[in-house]
Amino acid sequence: MAVRLALSRVSRVQAPEYRSIVAIDMVGSGQWDDCAQLRARTVLDAMVRSAFRAAGISWRKLVVEDRGDGMIVLVPPSTSKVDLIDPLIPSLVARLRQHNAMVGAEHRIRVRVAVHAGEVLRSPSGWVGTDINLTCRLLNGVPLYRELMRSPQSDLVLVVSEVIRNGVVRHGYRRIDPAEYRCVHIVSKEVDTSAWIYVAGVDVGPAT
């Protein structure tokens, strides 16, 4: 009874906070042994930190939650969502290419990235919310795996929600080319939605 009352009180008092949400996950890392996974995750962490720094986004202002072979990054609303597409994504792609050029094909790091924005709640053990769930569902969408299989030379596939597409991508800010994004349909658990995919270094055809 006391637990139910406490939970009810939290849900009434706590207000959601708006954040941009970036989810990053390595592809195929489960096939590596533990030592290889540790090395790859260490390298990925360093590349992501460096890419955010190159984009002018201070790492100390971010909330970063570990997700095993990836992470979820909550970005404060003071940071433009444009920065999360350009220059962040090109910076991360450049670092992936540099690393992968120095390792064997079996140890290449390839990543899926999802970008969304919405309301989140802070819980005692982390951050929760429908918009975080949506970001994770987009990240795990079948179309992302399909595009990476079709484009073995690519190191990164990006998926953005309709929120990011309509607010940022379609306007073509900076070096963002809306024609490089293709609409896909993602169905995963409770999510059934449209999203937009960009495959780094690959012409994915006209947007629909």
Side-chain angles (χ1 to χ4, degrees), residues 21-26 40-49 52 59 62-74 112-114 135-136 139:
I21 308 165
V22 181
I24 303 170
D25 194 78
M26 288 188 290
R41 180 55 199 272
T42 302
V43 169
L44 177 66
D45 286 353
M47 288 192 293
V48 171
R49 283 174 177 263
F52 270 97
W59 189 257
L62 307 175
V63 174
V64 183
E65 292 203 342
D66 179 80
R67 291 297 173 107
D69 51 1
M71 66 191 75
I72 293 178
V73 182
L74 302 182
R112 293 168 290 120
V113 180
T135 308
C136 293
L139 186 72

Side-chain angles (χ1 to χ4, degrees), residues 130-178:
T130 302
D131 286 304
I132 291 179
N133 294 343
L134 174 58
T135 308
C136 293
R137 302 297 181 254
L138 296 180
L139 186 72
N140 292 321
V142 171
L144 278 72
Y145 291 98
R146 185 182 299 130
E147 292 299 336
L148 284 172
M149 290 180 63
R150 288 175 177 171
S151 309
Q153 74 277 24
S154 179
D155 297 317
L156 180 149
V157 60
L158 167 69
V159 60
V160 301
S161 66
E162 290 278 14
V163 169
I164 302 300
R165 189 265 174 180
N166 292 334
V168 175
V169 172
R170 76 180 183 92
H171 301 289
Y173 295 115
R174 296 180 187 154
R175 294 172 293 176
I176 300 171
D177 183 356

Side-chain angles (χ1 to χ4, degrees), residues 26 29-42 68-69:
M26 288 188 290
S29 60
Q31 302 174 7
W32 301 333
D33 62 41
D34 290 351
C35 293
Q37 290 186 46
L38 176 60
R39 287 193 296 268
R41 180 55 199 272
T42 302
D69 51 1

Side-chain angles (χ1 to χ4, degrees), residues 97-108:
R97 287 177 177 167
Q98 183 179 30
H99 169 78
N100 290 340
M102 299 185 296
V103 299
E106 69 278 9
H107 289 133
R108 281 178 64 200

